[in-house]
Amino acid sequence: MELSVGIMSVVTDMGRNVEDEPEPTWDEAVAALKAATPVEVVRSPREVTVVYRYTDGIFTATSPDVRGFRTTGRSLHETRSLVQQDLSQFLDPAVKVLERFPVPDREIRTSAAGCGWLKAASLPGMIVLSSSGTARTFVSSARASLRRVRAS
Amino acid sequence: MPERHLPNSRKRRHAAACRAPCWTINRYSPVVKKVDVAVLIVDESIEAKIRDKHFPLTAEDVRQAVVYGRVISAGWDDNDEHGLRLVVRATTYAGVEFIAYLMPANEGDPEEGTFVLKTAIPKPST
């Protein structure tokens, strides 16, 4: 008997629809927050990733952690400052921003070079046109020199 | 660890307090003054409810704002029906202000940092 009662209660619970539950209004929620015991929100170390891309002469920054975040600029410096400006208004000061820049391929195929293979290490600070002509790869001089050192 | 020298009556009370779920203690005096919302678990049904009833708010926006964003205010709400809940007021990246109700995933340890989203109500636009 007890077992059957137990089963019935489980079945009844499973049938409860979340959407049928009454939702508090905004005013009720504000009143609940005022009546609640205040608590300080602290942050353990965490970071938000920002990914930079370079396409058609424009730098674009997006983040997989912040939906809807997208910032563009004509230079990397400009884009980075816009990203910092934008995210500082939303993010908690304790959250760090981890920036990821495009890593150039070691060998880049270009139409200009007759489909030949160019070494990225020999292209410091250059923008290489891809075979389609729309996408470009920005090769930072610092990274290229680092590759040169590693290669030697 | 050295054994505590307590009278038998105090030992019994101490053992009973250890066995009792912490949330029953918290229900009457929420002792956690600092909280870290590190992980927010969102059930599919809650996600659908927020999407359908509280447009333009989404559960993902709420998760991002609560975990990464600036929290305006927060407090422990001790409700007879729903139990101990964390009420958080924050703003999404898109600028929608909301109040979210979170429940500690581990009732015995609200400081653990894992919460379950129960609902979120956007501020009505005037």
Side-chain angles (χ1 to χ4, degrees):
Chain A
M1 184 63 186
E2 282 180 9
L3 183 65
S4 66
V5 168
I7 290 169
M8 285 304 289
S9 66
V10 170
V11 171
T12 311
D13 286 349
M14 283 176 74
R16 271 178 73 186
N17 193 348
V18 175
E19 291 192 5
D20 294 340
E21 288 180 5
E23 285 276 286
T25 61
W26 173 257
D27 293 333
E28 285 170 350
V30 170
L33 185 59
K34 277 183 184 171
T37 310
V39 63
E40 186 190 347
V41 177
V42 294
R43 302 284 186 200
S44 55
R46 69 194 66 169
E47 50 199 23
V48 162
T49 305
V50 173
V51 181
Y52 292 89
R53 288 186 186 84
Y54 181 75
T55 312
D56 291 336
I58 296 168
F59 284 90
T60 308
T62 54
S63 175
D65 300 317
V66 184
R67 198 175 70 95
F69 170 73
R70 185 185 164 91
T71 303
T72 56
R74 283 167 294 178
S75 70
L76 188 59
H77 180 74
E78 182 190 347
T79 314
R80 287 183 72 188
S81 61
L82 287 171
V83 165
Q84 283 193 345
Q85 216 174 55
D86 195 8
L87 286 181
S88 64
Q89 292 169 5
F90 168 68
L91 290 181
D92 189 281
V95 178
K96 289 179 182 173
V97 177
L98 181 69
E99 294 177 303
R100 289 198 186 279
F101 301 101
V103 179
D105 293 335
R106 192 162 184 82
E107 294 176 326
I108 301 163
R109 197 165 195 167
T110 64
S111 56
C115 296
W117 294 93
L118 296 177
K119 296 281 183 194
S122 63
L123 301 165
M126 286 187 74
I127 293 167
V128 183
L129 284 170
S130 74
S131 55
S132 66
T134 52
R136 299 171 187 190
T137 304
F138 175 75
V139 183
S140 106
S141 56
R143 199 169 282 275
S145 60
L146 185 70
R147 281 170 182 272
R148 218 176 294 134
V149 169
R150 279 187 188 156
S152 63
Chain B
M1 197 171 170
E3 193 180 333
R4 295 177 70 186
H5 295 286
L6 297 170
N8 283 339
S9 58
R10 282 195 67 187
K11 272 184 186 171
R12 277 198 295 274
R13 265 185 308 198
H14 179 71
C18 289
R19 280 198 303 274
C22 290
W23 68 268
T24 54
I25 298 165
N26 288 333
R27 270 178 70 84
Y28 300 105
S29 60
V31 289
V32 183
K33 300 290 181 194
K34 290 183 180 180
V35 70
D36 176 19
V37 185
V39 178
L40 188 63
I41 300 166
V42 183
D43 189 74
E44 279 182 16
S45 58
I46 299 292
E47 190 180 0
K49 181 177 78 172
I50 293 172
R51 193 177 54 237
D52 296 343
K53 287 187 175 179
H54 302 304
F55 180 84
L57 203 62
T58 65
E60 181 56 22
D61 291 341
V62 172
R63 193 192 66 80
Q64 287 169 3
V66 170
V67 174
Y68 298 116
R70 288 171 188 266
V71 169
I72 299 167
S73 59
W76 287 110
D77 174 45
D78 188 14
N79 189 287
D80 290 334
E81 191 184 345
H82 299 102
L84 189 69
R85 298 179 299 179
L86 185 68
V87 190
V88 177
R89 187 172 184 169
T91 307
T92 65
Y93 174 72
V96 180
E97 193 176 334
F98 66 90
I99 292 178
Y101 285 82
L102 321 177
M103 192 169 261
N106 183 359
E107 287 179 341
D109 188 9
E111 284 182 284
E112 185 210 10
T114 307
F115 288 81
V116 179
L117 179 65
K118 302 309 287 182
T119 192
I121 302 110
K123 187 178 181 180
S125 52
T126 50

